[in-house]
Amino acid sequence: MTAPEAPVVALDLHVQADHGQIYIYSEAALDQENDDLYEDAFDDATDNERFVGAGGGLVVLVTPGTRNARTPMSVQVWAAEPTADTERWSHEVDIDLDVPDGRLAFCASGFADEIPVEIPAGSYRARVSGAGYLERGDAGADGDDYYRLQLWPRITDADPVLRQYWPGWAGYND
């Protein structure tokens, strides 16, 4: 199948990052019985050194910077997997994300205000891409880092895939 030329939905927004984290989720997909879903997703991201992880229906994006109240985020929904452009990004991960109610939300760690986005309901494969990274701990303080979330329909569940690794993550777990 040929990759589509343009997304079905394309939105540019600003989300919040705090404690080096951005949560991405659909409230309808969260495992409300799992009291540790935030910790599970963060541990998945850091223990596997993908810095994007999942747990209990939640995706966590770990950012190099500790805080950025206006983090640029492009959201794109595609009819099929888009053409890869890994060379444009410093870090990139593919992961499953379910949005059964068509309401995707972004929220910073520390539970700042949720930023909702309406997209077609579905089970998606998500490609989380980041660039503009500076030194870990400093990046993002001035809004230098930016992100893209590409979504396309998935037929089966798949393990997360690290597509591009930012060398600045080295030593994060030391």
Side-chain angles (χ1 to χ4, degrees):
M1 178 175 196
T2 304
E5 292 185 27
V8 176
V9 175
L11 306 164
D12 289 319
L13 54 141
H14 287 92
V15 300
Q16 293 183 10
D18 198 7
H19 295 90
Q21 298 171 55
I22 300 170
Y23 300 141
I24 306 168
Y25 58 91
S26 168
E27 188 77 33
L30 291 180
D31 178 359
Q32 302 296 340
E33 302 295 315
N34 182 354
D35 294 334
D36 298 324
L37 63 98
Y38 297 95
E39 185 176 325
D40 290 349
F42 181 78
D43 288 348
D44 181 53
T46 57
D47 291 352
N48 292 297
E49 296 187 344
R50 286 189 314 271
F51 300 96
V52 175
L58 173 80
V59 170
V60 64
L61 163 58
V62 179
T63 66
T66 55
R67 181 153 181 22
N68 183 354
R70 293 192 44 79
T71 306
M73 174 72 71
S74 173
V75 179
Q76 302 173 349
V77 179
W78 294 77
E81 182 176 357
T83 302
D85 60 352
T86 306
E87 68 283 348
R88 294 184 53 216
W89 299 96
S90 300
H91 195 81
E92 194 166 67
V93 174
D94 287 358
I95 198 161
D96 291 349
L97 178 62
D98 293 328
V99 188
D101 59 352
R103 187 172 184 270
L104 186 63
F106 297 86
C107 187
S109 174
F111 306 99
D113 291 334
E114 180 179 276
I115 298 169
V117 174
E118 299 291 326
I119 64 171
S123 295
Y124 290 102
R125 188 67 171 167
R127 181 164 296 146
V128 182
S129 309
Y133 294 171
L134 301 174
E135 203 173 313
R136 215 170 5 104
D138 295 329
D142 297 318
D144 297 324
D145 55 332
Y146 54 95
Y147 301 90
R148 178 184 67 189
L149 176 66
Q150 293 178 306
L151 302 158
W152 64 92
R154 80 170 192 275
I155 297 169
T156 61
D157 294 349
D159 291 334
V161 174
L162 176 63
R163 299 173 53 84
Q164 178 76 12
Y165 180 80
W166 178 57
W169 288 121
Y172 183 93
N173 288 324
D174 294 344

